[in-house]
Amino acid sequence: MPDKRELYINGQWTPARDRKTFPVLNPATGEVWTQVADATRQDAAAAIAAAAAAQPAWAALPHTERARLLGRIADVLTARAKEFQQALVDEGGSWIGKAMFETGYSAGVYRAAAAAAYQVNGEIIPSEYGKLSLVVREPLGVVSVISPWNFPLILSSRGFAVALAVGNTIVLKPSEETPVAGGLLLAEILEDAGLPKGVVNVVTCSRERVGEVGDELISNPTVRGVSFTGSTAVGAQVAAKAGGLLKKCCVELGGKDALIVLEDADIEQAVNAATFGAFMHQGQICMSVERVIVHRAIAEEFTAKFVANTRKLKVGNPRELGNCIGPIINQRQLDKIRDQVDDAVAKGAKVLCGGKHQGLFFEPTILTNITRDMKVMREETFGPIAPVITVGSEAEAVALANDTEYGLSAGIITKSEERGLAVARQLKTGMAHINDASVLDEPHAPFGGVGWSGLGRHGGRAGIEQFTEMRWITIERGGRHYPPPFLMNPKH
């Protein structure tokens, strides 16, 4: 990995205006992995100006050409997958298996976006006056994309791929934790794929400069749309600022997702869903299973098997395929996880397995004897902690699952698909998955939540609607007669 990585603005690699850089750490070792350019507000403004200059020509390209270039991005990404996998492991603490999945899935994001370029549909509506009355969709213009560190390649790609396909140009700011996998390597891919200059620009900045750079990406009048994925606290501020400026905004935020295991569930299926949903990428996924709600009739058997399954998960160097539990991203996040576990234990929770950490490596942990007043029941954890709560009925399970201000995803395990659908319809979430974990995504599906989990949807047709503006255009064909006072008299 090079010692220093620069900004990508208008097709050029350039240092920050004041030439400052910031270190990117490897969370598994604590060592500095690389140095990255630390952009200023002026750098962000320059990137926005470059995107604005490139947008008319990009929008004017035939949709077939935009689709071809998006397909080419997928091909180049696939060819360079190992570089991304290295970056995902070393700067993001990803288990190598997760990194391999992420690179493969991300190529599909661009292929789905290429398909979306063919689906920007309008309609012809009736006109009382015999006009040709058209409803069309047109790109917003410049879209700012602010992406997170947990799945940096997928979430940067999802943040802009459809917006790009429908004719917008992009300024991407990846997380300061993962600026290479989430941004700078992507810029290399886009350049190799032949994307015109200025169509996608990447600015990286340190935590100290996030405020000024992020404000420019939202408040600059040239920016007409914002795509944000991250914490609810920050996302609420982004949405409020964008809304106050009457800009379209798609914010995908946190979750406190439940896995409901009903008394007729297949126990093995439920255990596998809980293990994957709670502990994939150390639980650092917005749609992770953070509450396992189990019917009392099967709770003992389920919990015993869940604990046994969890104890098989190996913690260690994420470069080794056998170690599926890698490090937490940083000390701040680990302290939050530890605080939730300590709070739960102090209030009567029992640790069935895990509960300890060494450095940034936190063991996958299962808790029981959970009560509503515990932080682990109210706050997003974003770590490998699975509280197990027992209930006596389906109605109680639904009520408990809905007892949160978040509303991203959910899983329901039952042998009756009809029952699963009935439960899913009662849940206040943007997504629900029957006989599966809450962790699920497909590039063409409408991804997003309700409540504190966000506004808007990414993916497929929903993404097309999110990143285009609806317009009404008419052609007069002689059928409209103006009232007499407005008629022109050629004799006067």
Side-chain angles (χ1 to χ4, degrees):
M1 178 56 60
D3 292 334
K4 188 163 97 176
R5 303 298 293 258
E6 296 182 319
L7 311 176
Y8 187 68
I9 299 175
N10 200 29
Q12 302 295 320
W13 294 96
T14 179
R17 182 160 298 204
D18 58 7
R19 298 192 171 272
K20 287 189 176 180
T21 64
F22 68 97
V24 180
L25 305 182
N26 180 328
T29 66
E31 298 173 349
V32 174
W33 181 63
T34 192
Q35 293 280 341
V36 168
D38 194 2
T40 64
R41 186 175 195 129
Q42 291 74 26
D43 291 314
I48 292 167
Q55 197 273 329
W58 175 250
L61 279 181
H63 67 281
T64 51
E65 178 62 10
R66 291 197 302 271
R68 185 191 69 79
L69 287 167
L70 283 156
R72 177 65 181 151
I73 293 169
D75 293 341
V76 177
L77 173 56
T78 300
R80 297 182 61 178
K82 289 191 181 300
E83 295 173 66
F84 278 96
Q85 291 162 14
Q86 176 185 329
L88 290 165
V89 171
D90 289 347
E91 73 173 348
S94 295
W95 168 50
I96 184 61
K98 177 261 191 187
M100 293 166 69
F101 161 78
E102 186 166 357
T103 51
Y105 182 96
S106 296
V109 170
Y110 293 102
R111 293 191 175 103
Y118 288 82
Q119 298 176 50
V120 186
N121 298 325
E123 58 181 325
I124 299 174
I125 61 175
S127 170
E128 179 180 358
Y129 307 105
K131 296 177 183 289
L132 177 60
S133 189
L134 308 173
V135 178
V136 300
R137 285 199 167 272
E138 296 183 355
L140 301 178
V142 176
V143 173
S144 292
V145 178
I146 302 171
S147 63
W149 50 262
N150 57 328
F151 278 76
L153 176 56
I154 286 179
L155 297 180
S156 288
S157 299
R158 187 179 71 188
F160 72 76
V162 171
L164 194 65
V166 299
N168 299 289
T169 52
I170 309 298
V171 179
L172 167 66
K173 190 207 81 62
S175 168
E176 63 274 14
E177 303 286 357
T178 52
V180 176
L184 298 177
L185 259 182
L186 262 175
E188 290 186 17
I189 295 298
L190 302 177
E191 190 174 50
D192 288 354
L195 221 62
K197 292 182 179 181
V199 170
V200 176
N201 306 270
V202 180
V203 292
T204 56
C205 70
S206 63
R207 180 172 291 271
E208 290 71 27
R209 286 183 170 174
V210 162
E212 63 176 273
V213 170
D215 186 65
E216 183 68 21
L217 293 176
I218 299 164
S219 63
N220 187 301
T222 304
V223 172
R224 297 312 308 158
V226 179
S227 170
F228 174 89
T229 306
S231 72
T232 296
V234 177
Q237 296 175 32
V238 170
K241 185 175 293 253
L245 296 169
L246 303 182
K247 301 183 181 188
K248 292 190 79 171
C249 185
C250 185
V251 291
E252 194 270 291
L253 310 177
K256 194 68 186 172
D257 295 352
L259 178 70
I260 297 175
V261 183
L262 297 174
E263 75 276 11
D264 65 343
D266 181 309
I267 299 292
E268 298 298 329
Q269 184 179 35
V271 167
N272 288 336
T275 307
F276 169 76
F279 304 129
M280 173 65 175
H281 195 39
Q282 299 79 261
Q284 298 175 125
I285 307 175
C286 57
M287 49 184 163
S288 286
V289 171
E290 295 207 354
R291 294 173 298 156
V292 183
I293 301 171
V294 187
H295 194 283
R296 193 171 292 119
I298 60 168
E300 184 176 354
E301 181 184 1
F302 168 85
T303 303
K305 290 183 176 180
F306 186 26
V307 169
N309 216 36
T310 300
R311 283 178 171 155
K312 297 176 185 176
L313 304 179
K314 293 184 179 180
V315 181
N317 181 354
R319 281 189 169 279
E320 297 178 14
L321 196 58
N323 296 330
C324 58
I325 305 296
I328 302 302
I329 189 64
N330 56 40
Q331 188 64 45
R332 291 184 307 278
Q333 185 60 29
L334 185 131
D335 290 344
K336 176 183 176 182
I337 296 165
R338 184 173 55 193
D339 176 65
Q340 287 194 15
V341 173
D342 291 346
D343 172 77
V345 171
K347 293 174 179 174
K350 182 179 179 181
V351 179
L352 297 186
C353 63
K356 300 176 183 177
H357 68 92
Q358 185 171 358
L360 292 181
F361 291 84
F362 205 109
E363 296 174 348
T365 300
I366 298 175
L367 304 174
T368 57
N369 297 345
I370 303 298
T371 56
R372 189 180 183 280
D373 63 327
M374 296 174 182
K375 292 180 181 179
V376 77
M377 277 293 285
R378 314 305 309 166
E379 301 175 6
E380 184 178 33
T381 304
F382 227 63
I385 312 300
V388 177
I389 311 102
T390 59
V391 294
S393 69
E394 177 185 302
E396 189 181 352
V398 170
L400 183 59
N402 284 336
D403 186 20
T404 174
E405 286 156 317
Y406 293 99
L408 188 56
S409 187
I412 306 125
I413 310 297
T414 172
K415 288 179 181 175
S416 168
E417 292 182 352
E418 182 179 1
R419 187 182 187 190
L421 283 168
V423 170
R425 295 295 298 272
Q426 297 174 67
L427 297 177
K428 297 175 182 177
T429 59
M431 303 172 287
H433 307 296
I434 298 159
N435 289 324
D436 204 348
S438 55
V439 179
L440 182 64
D441 193 9
E442 294 190 36
H444 63 288
F447 188 99
V450 299
W452 282 8
S453 291
L455 292 168
R457 296 292 184 272
H458 286 103
R461 188 170 298 281
I464 294 170
E465 295 175 0
Q466 190 73 50
F467 297 110
T468 56
E469 202 72 75
M470 183 183 289
R471 298 189 65 208
W472 180 37
I473 298 173
T474 70
I475 301 174
E476 168 58 28
R477 288 180 167 172
R480 183 176 187 185
H481 300 287
Y482 299 106
F486 296 93
L487 293 177
M488 293 181 64
N489 189 336
K491 295 181 180 180
H492 292 84

